[in-house]
């Protein structure tokens, strides 16, 4: 993706824009950097609370790296991380059908109404489609994620590897038919973090 190229689609704000909406921060979407780790984790703690690491979706992320090219941040004009979203490689059922799992999506609580979450979602979906992925899954509220095309219509035969609310398992096909016949438990398939490989050796 082009670094610092995408601004909020909801408010049409970008770096250097004159007359930006008052109190709405200028931001741009770009690839996450290694140096963003501490800021990202602190933002997730503030936005999602201490229970975030006990979610079933976390089991699919633990010890793994995000899908190549699909870890994004919303960055303010002064370099602060205002939002984050990552996508992860997973497989669906025994057949090993590839897909992506999106999450967590989080925005700095003080700027939750600035369109940052929507901008992150739209860019993540566009990047995944451009990279040739067939489908994205997530666990979330359909009234919010439905605006991006997610629904529970294609996930009835799929399951998360732990406790979850079935009606909140949503999916978006990036290519028609990508989830035809998909069934079984979702499992992690992404690249392992280096320290995980080292311990296993």
């Amino acid at each position: 993706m082009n670094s610092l190229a995408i601004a909020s689609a909801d408010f049409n704000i970008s770096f250097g824009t004159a007359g930006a909406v008052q109190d709405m921060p200028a931001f741009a979407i770009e690839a996450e950097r290694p140096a963003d780790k501490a800021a990202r984790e602190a933002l997730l703690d503030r936005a999602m609370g201490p229970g975030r690491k006990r979610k079933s979706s976390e089991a699919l992320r633990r010890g793994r790296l995000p899908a190549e090219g699909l870890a994004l941040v919303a960055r303010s004009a002064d370099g602060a991380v205002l939002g984050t979203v990552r996508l992860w490689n997973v497989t669906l059922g025994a057949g090993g059908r590839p897909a992506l799992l999106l999450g967590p999506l989080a925005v700095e609580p003080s700027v939750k109404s600035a369109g940052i979450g929507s901008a992150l979602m739209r860019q993540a979906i566009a990047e995944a489609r451009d990279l040739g992925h067939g489908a994205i899954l997530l666990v979330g509220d359909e009234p919010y994620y439905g605006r991006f095309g997610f629904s529970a219509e294609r996930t009835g035969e799929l399951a998360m590897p732990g406790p979850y609310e079935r009606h909140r398992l949503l999916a978006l096909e990036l290519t028609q038919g990508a989830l035809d016949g998909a069934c079984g438990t979702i499992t992690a398939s992404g690249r392992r973090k280096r320290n995980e490989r080292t311990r296993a050796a």
Side-chain angles (χ1 to χ4, degrees), residues 50-192:
R52 67 182 178 88
K53 294 187 177 180
R54 295 194 296 269
K55 296 182 177 182
S56 294
S57 51
E58 181 63 23
L60 296 170
R61 300 189 287 257
R62 191 172 298 119
R64 304 279 177 168
L65 295 171
E68 190 74 34
L70 293 173
L72 309 176
V73 297
R75 198 179 303 281
S76 69
D78 63 3
V81 174
L82 299 178
T84 175
V85 68
R86 293 168 135 198
L87 290 89
W88 310 79
N89 297 108
V90 294
T91 55
L92 310 180
R97 183 183 309 213
L100 293 169
L101 179 72
L102 185 147
L105 168 70
V107 174
E108 185 64 48
S110 63
V111 292
K112 284 186 70 173
S113 299
I116 294 171
S118 294
L120 282 165
M121 283 296 299
R122 292 189 180 104
Q123 187 64 15
I125 292 167
E127 294 288 334
R129 182 179 285 112
D130 288 348
L131 289 169
H133 294 282
I136 304 173
L137 292 89
L138 59 82
V139 179
D141 296 326
E142 190 165 357
Y144 177 83
Y145 290 103
R147 76 183 79 176
F148 307 108
F150 286 85
S151 77
E153 293 178 5
R154 310 303 305 274
T155 62
E157 300 300 319
L158 295 169
M160 293 288 288
Y164 73 104
E165 297 173 277
R166 180 170 292 278
H167 69 279
R168 299 183 74 239
L169 180 58
L170 312 177
L172 168 67
E173 285 188 331
L174 301 177
T175 59
Q176 187 173 0
L179 294 175
D180 286 354
C183 62
T185 301
I186 301 168
T187 58
S189 62
R191 302 164 295 155
R192 290 189 178 274

